[in-house]
Amino acid sequence: MNAVLPRFLKSAYRKEPIITTLITIGIVDAFIGGFDDSWTLFTFGLGTTGVALFLKLLRMQQEPPIPEETVVQHYLPPQPSSQPLPIITVSKKKPRP
């Protein structure tokens, strides 16, 4: 659970930063208003969250999902780009005494 929540939040903020920020502000306002018995702040928070979720719903309906294409990465070229190196032959000479 600890590793899943930050990963989910990062991906949500990358995809739709304005809507996710509005949802976060609304939830925090509603949370603070609920504990402080400030019903106006609680209502404002719920309203902000509701509007942000409504905008997200509208945006999801307008845009068809784009299929992601898998990109194949080749680490080596299909053909060697240079000529093969020559074979080195070592001549066996006797050392001088």
Side-chain angles (χ1 to χ4, degrees), residues 6 8 11 16 21 31-32 38 41 49 57 69-70 77 79-80:
F8 172 74
S11 69
E16 298 175 351
T21 303
F31 187 75
I32 292 171
S38 173
L41 186 59
T49 305
L57 179 68
E69 297 178 11
T70 57
Q79 299 286 332

Side-chain angles (χ1 to χ4, degrees), residues 33-59:
F35 278 111
D36 276 350
D37 290 333
S38 173
W39 295 107
T40 54
L41 186 59
F42 181 74
T43 307
F44 179 74
L46 287 180
T48 304
T49 305
V51 168
L53 289 175
F54 181 71
L55 289 174
K56 183 172 179 157
L57 179 68
L58 284 178
R59 194 166 201 200

